[in-house]
């Protein structure tokens, strides 16, 4: 939280102590002062953290460490769409773990950008998960009033991690860096 407060304060040109947070009805952190057009999102996993900051556009970010003890095929059966499960199963076994975490980070970034989080339903949309595919939101089965992000990016945060950024902008500026937690 202190790092997030320092990053946000630099964008707002205020002292870190002046930055106040609240939580949306669906649990997404946001700035307490609603007239500020700054948006942010945070994710952390096993020693690394990501902070995404933008103006006006909703965004979501996720980072996942590739953990060996995760039964990713079982988790995919519970949370992924049928198309994603099929695509994952068609990959060679040595590519499945990385593809799973890539898919998971993209899905998390999308639901965080939307603002509803997991309540949106991870199986209600499809993302590209093949290692050579450009990250994309392929299909949605959401309510008509749900707005999908316009852009999806994989972020290179180092070996053993997958990370993604979803943003409601056709032309975002992306700068990446990692923060040791």
């Amino acid at each position: 939280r202190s790092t997030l407060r320092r990053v946000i304060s630099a964008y707002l040109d205020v002292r870190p102590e002046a930055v106040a947070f609240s939580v949306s009805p669906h649990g997404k952190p946001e700035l307490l002062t609603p007239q500020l057009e700054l948006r942010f999102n945070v994710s952390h996993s096993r020693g690394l953290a990501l902070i995404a900051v933008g103006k006006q556009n909703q965004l979501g970010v996720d980072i996942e460490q590739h953990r060996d003890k995760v039964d990713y095929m079982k988790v995919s059966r519970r949370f992924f769409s049928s198309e994603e499960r099929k695509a994952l199963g068609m990959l060679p076994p040595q590519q499945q773990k990385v593809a799973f975490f890539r898919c998971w980070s993209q899905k998390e970034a999308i639901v965080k950008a939307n603002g509803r989080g997991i309540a949106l339903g991870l199986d209600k949309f499809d993302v590209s998960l093949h290692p050579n595919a450009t990250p994309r939101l392929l299909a949605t089965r959401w309510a008509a009033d749900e707005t999908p992000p316009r852009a999806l990016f994989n972020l290179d945060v180092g070996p053993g991690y997958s990370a993604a950024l979803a943003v409601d902008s056709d032309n975002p500026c992306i700068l990446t860096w990692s923060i040791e937690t």
Side-chain angles (χ1 to χ4, degrees):
R1 281 278 181 186
S2 67
T3 301
L4 175 61
R5 194 176 298 281
R6 287 194 314 268
V7 169
I8 298 294
S9 73
Y11 279 93
L12 297 175
D13 197 26
V14 299
R15 295 172 18 108
E17 307 83 53
V19 177
F21 300 105
S22 66
V23 180
S24 76
H26 295 288
K28 184 175 183 179
E30 55 191 18
L31 291 172
L32 184 62
T33 309
Q35 69 268 25
L36 299 175
E37 295 179 344
L38 199 67
R39 304 287 188 260
F40 68 92
N41 200 241
V42 179
S43 181
H44 56 85
S45 180
R46 310 284 179 163
L48 286 183
L50 285 177
I51 298 173
V53 181
K55 277 191 104 173
Q56 298 174 331
N57 299 307
Q58 292 297 336
L59 49 83
V61 67
D62 189 63
I63 183 171
E64 299 291 336
Q65 183 186 42
H66 300 172
R67 299 178 303 280
D68 290 326
K69 294 187 178 189
V70 171
D71 185 344
Y72 53 87
M73 294 307 276
K74 181 179 178 182
V75 173
S76 71
R77 284 190 297 273
R78 182 170 178 202
F79 293 105
F80 287 8
S81 71
S82 60
E83 289 299 314
E84 291 162 339
R85 289 191 306 269
K86 188 185 320 177
L88 185 62
M90 292 175 67
L91 290 174
Q94 66 272 18
Q95 291 182 355
Q96 289 178 347
K97 180 173 79 171
V98 171
F100 166 82
F101 284 105
R102 179 181 183 200
C103 182
W104 187 270
S105 65
Q106 289 177 16
K107 291 176 90 60
E108 283 277 342
I110 287 168
V111 299
K112 290 169 80 175
N114 173 277
R116 298 237 348 253
I118 299 268
L120 187 61
L122 293 177
D123 62 340
K124 301 289 187 221
F125 61 99
D126 308 328
V127 298
S128 54
L129 61 81
H130 192 278
N132 298 325
T134 300
R136 287 188 342 199
L137 179 59
L138 300 172
T140 63
R141 292 167 296 285
W142 296 336
D145 63 339
E146 298 292 351
T147 305
R150 292 186 295 194
L152 181 62
F153 302 92
N154 289 323
L155 304 176
D156 183 0
V157 294
Y161 289 86
S162 291
L165 169 70
V167 62
D168 184 26
S169 172
D170 293 322
N171 212 4
C173 172
I174 299 175
L175 304 173
T176 62
W177 68 93
S178 63
I179 300 169
E180 300 287 330
T181 59

